[in-house]
């Protein structure tokens, strides 16, 4: 499993608390209702803050290449 820095984990935790309280908004100003979207926002904010965040892997392309074989 990929390793996130402690600061990145804290940042993602802050965003998830906002999501649970119903205060998390998208860049367009709409309320976030999807948990996966909230996690993505937290990871993005942590990455923008310069914290250690693992590279994103593309699951779809790896699954497709396995099916082709």
């Amino acid at each position: 499993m990929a390793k996130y820095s402690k600061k990145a984990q804290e940042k993602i935790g802050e965003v998830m608390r906002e999501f649970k309280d119903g205060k998390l908004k998208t860049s367009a100003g709409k309320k976030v209702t999807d948990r996966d979207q909230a996690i993505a926002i937290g990871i993005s904010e942590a990455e923008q803050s310069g914290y250690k965040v693992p590279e994103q892997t593309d699951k779809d392309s790896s699954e497709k290449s396995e099916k082709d074989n």
Side-chain angles (χ1 to χ4, degrees):
M1 184 171 172
K3 296 275 186 171
Y4 290 85
S5 68
K6 291 285 185 188
K7 290 285 188 178
Q9 291 177 24
E10 290 173 8
K11 185 67 166 178
I12 295 167
E14 290 173 15
V15 171
M16 291 308 293
R17 279 188 285 284
E18 282 184 39
F19 168 69
K20 289 178 183 180
D21 292 340
K23 298 178 182 177
L24 185 62
K25 306 278 184 187
T26 65
S27 59
K30 294 183 179 182
K31 182 179 172 182
V32 175
T33 58
D34 184 32
R35 184 177 184 273
D36 290 337
Q37 185 179 11
I39 293 170
I41 291 169
I43 291 171
S44 176
E45 286 185 12
E47 197 171 45
Q48 289 175 355
S49 297
Y51 302 134
K52 182 183 171 192
V53 178
E55 291 291 322
Q56 181 180 6
T57 58
D58 188 13
K59 292 181 183 179
D60 292 334
S61 65
S62 63
E63 288 176 1
K64 288 177 184 175
S65 64
E66 288 177 7
K67 289 179 182 178
D68 292 340
N69 292 333

